[in-house]
Amino acid sequence: MNTETTADATGGTEEARDQGRPVALITGAGSGIGRAVAAELLGAGWSLALAGRRVAALEETAALVPYGDTLVVQADVSQPDDVRALFTAVRDRFGRLDLLFNNAGTFGPGGVPVEDLDYAAWRHVVDTNLNGAFLCAQAAYRQMKEQDPQGGRIINNGSISAHTPRPHSVAYTATKHALTGLTKSLSLDGRPYRIAVGQIDIGNAATDMTAAMEAGALQAGGEVAPEPVMDVADVARTVRHMAELPLEANVQFATVLATAMPYVGRG
């Protein structure tokens, strides 16, 4: 794991603290939803730690708002040592943490029937989507509990698959259902310490991960059909709304989806 600091043009960390700039950590910040949320929060004046496995991609995210106050941290959220080092870097750089956007995740091998799914592939999805989310939430919880003033917010990136599966998606769907239980448990346990925990369930945001859906995706009835997508910026604005609520208020669960995607009803 390594870190790289990109200070803002107005004076960097110390001025950010003086101005009371809130601090967020985004995992999986090098692309897709993580990148869009980072741009939204940076534009709104947040200081950000951007975490992911590819430093070059994280630096591209930071460059979207050149005047932003950012810390780039290479980390694999499925590795406990990386997560410990990540949160130490955030504490050392910013002094506190107001928001964790637990976003890192993987689909795994798409379209593989359950009887053909290799255990290593199953384990990779579980380690990233569930174990990684737990490790980051645990570290954020510890920091938010101990910091002064106490408290903060965790937003877990769920999915429409936390409610309804797609065909041949057993590993991804199982982890996203489990993430809902993690969210509920963390939300309950965080109450005494002003730690608010919620979840955003996203359907068909236009990113590299969903590009194939517009061409055609396997449906429950066996047919392949194109699906509509929505602008990922609409997701980012929703995350910002959740993030900027006072800690006395919480969006426990939010579902944001392309209006006409096959989810509600029978398709």
Side-chain angles (χ1 to χ4, degrees):
M1 194 209 80
N2 61 59
T3 64
E4 178 176 328
T5 300
T6 306
D8 70 349
T10 60
T13 301
E14 292 304 321
E15 184 159 336
R17 289 177 182 169
D18 291 345
Q19 293 175 353
R21 195 175 283 163
V23 177
L25 166 59
I26 299 174
T27 65
S31 62
I33 291 167
R35 175 173 286 182
V37 170
E40 179 72 20
L41 293 182
L42 282 170
W46 287 65
S47 295
L48 292 191
L50 307 175
R53 290 179 294 176
R54 297 175 296 127
V55 171
L58 297 172
E59 290 173 341
E60 290 174 3
T61 298
L64 293 174
V65 183
Y67 55 83
D69 182 20
T70 58
L71 170 69
V72 167
V73 184
Q74 183 183 40
D76 181 343
V77 298
S78 70
Q79 300 301 311
D81 288 344
D82 275 21
V83 172
R84 280 191 290 269
L86 167 62
F87 279 82
T88 296
V90 172
R91 185 174 59 251
D92 290 348
R93 172 71 163 84
F94 297 113
R96 67 175 290 107
L97 179 65
D98 298 292
L99 170 69
L100 166 66
F101 182 40
N102 230 344
N103 170 69
T106 179
F107 282 143
V112 178
V114 62
E115 66 271 22
D116 296 329
L117 183 64
D118 185 75
Y119 176 72
W122 163 273
R123 182 62 184 266
H124 173 66
V125 176
V126 172
D127 281 344
T128 303
N129 294 2
L130 181 57
N131 295 341
F134 164 74
L135 289 170
C136 289
Q138 182 184 55
Y141 187 98
R142 288 169 173 163
Q143 183 165 338
M144 291 171 178
K145 181 180 176 182
E146 298 301 324
Q147 64 192 9
D148 184 21
Q150 189 181 64
R153 189 180 305 275
I154 299 169
I155 300 174
N156 292 323
N157 185 350
S159 172
I160 295 298
S161 291
H163 305 269
T164 303
R166 288 184 175 277
H168 306 324
S169 65
V170 63
Y172 184 77
T173 298
T175 57
K176 292 302 183 177
H177 274 65
L179 197 64
T180 297
L182 179 68
T183 298
K184 291 179 179 179
S185 189
L186 290 169
S187 183
L188 177 61
D189 291 345
R191 288 177 183 176
Y193 310 108
R194 301 187 76 244
I195 300 173
V197 185
Q199 180 171 313
I200 182 166
D201 295 325
I202 301 163
N204 287 18
T207 68
D208 290 343
M209 290 180 72
T210 61
M213 292 180 181
E214 291 183 274
L218 181 64
Q219 305 299 306
E223 72 278 11
V224 174
E227 295 186 12
V229 298
M230 62 178 168
D231 192 332
V232 71
D234 295 325
V235 175
R237 284 191 288 269
T238 304
V239 173
R240 178 184 168 191
H241 167 70
M242 296 169 71
E244 292 185 339
L245 289 171
L247 292 178
E248 291 73 26
N250 186 38
V251 176
Q252 187 67 74
F253 292 97
T255 302
V256 184
L257 71 166
T259 303
M261 70 173 287
Y263 171 60
V264 176
R266 297 180 179 270

